[in-house]
Amino acid sequence: SLQLTHFCFSSVIKYDMQTGEKKQMQWGVGRFGGEAVFVPREGSTAEDDGYLMTFVFEEAVHSSELILLDAKDLKEIARIALPQRVPYGFHG
């Protein structure tokens, strides 16, 4: 079993500071993601008009994926299987 650090997250949460509304995308049992990176959509004007990207590692099969979410509603746009594990804390 891997030793988890503060870089491992079981989900990503979007919290609206005005309304208190919370949206969450959970990665699943034994799956942990790193810090999500925001990428604005070309021509965007709203603060959440863009994408969230993060690497998610599945411990049981020792594989990583790049997950792309819509930043407005946290719906999954793409899931890209990677040929090797991406270490926790890796981003950029």
Side-chain angles (χ1 to χ4, degrees), residues 2-73:
L2 297 173
Q3 181 180 12
L4 300 180
T5 69
H6 64 280
F7 296 113
C8 304
F9 304 100
S10 61
S11 66
V12 64
I13 297 172
K14 178 181 179 178
Y15 186 78
D16 187 316
M17 300 297 282
Q18 262 88 44
T19 66
E21 180 184 11
K22 179 176 88 169
K23 295 177 182 171
Q24 183 174 20
M25 168 60 91
Q26 294 186 338
W27 305 129
V29 175
R31 294 173 50 88
F32 298 94
E35 178 182 0
V37 175
F38 177 74
V39 179
R41 191 181 318 267
E42 187 174 334
S44 65
T45 55
E47 71 177 355
D48 62 354
D49 189 10
Y51 312 96
L52 292 175
M53 298 186 333
T54 190
F55 295 107
V56 174
F57 177 67
E58 186 168 352
E59 291 183 329
V61 294
H62 293 276
S63 67
S64 293
E65 298 174 315
L66 173 64
I67 306 288
L68 181 66
L69 305 174
D70 186 313
K72 287 184 184 266
D73 57 16

Side-chain angles (χ1 to χ4, degrees), residues 69-85:
L69 305 174
D70 186 313
K72 287 184 184 266
D73 57 16
L74 300 187
K75 290 188 179 172
E76 186 177 309
I77 295 172
R79 181 180 297 236
I80 303 163
L82 301 174
Q84 64 187 44
R85 179 179 184 264

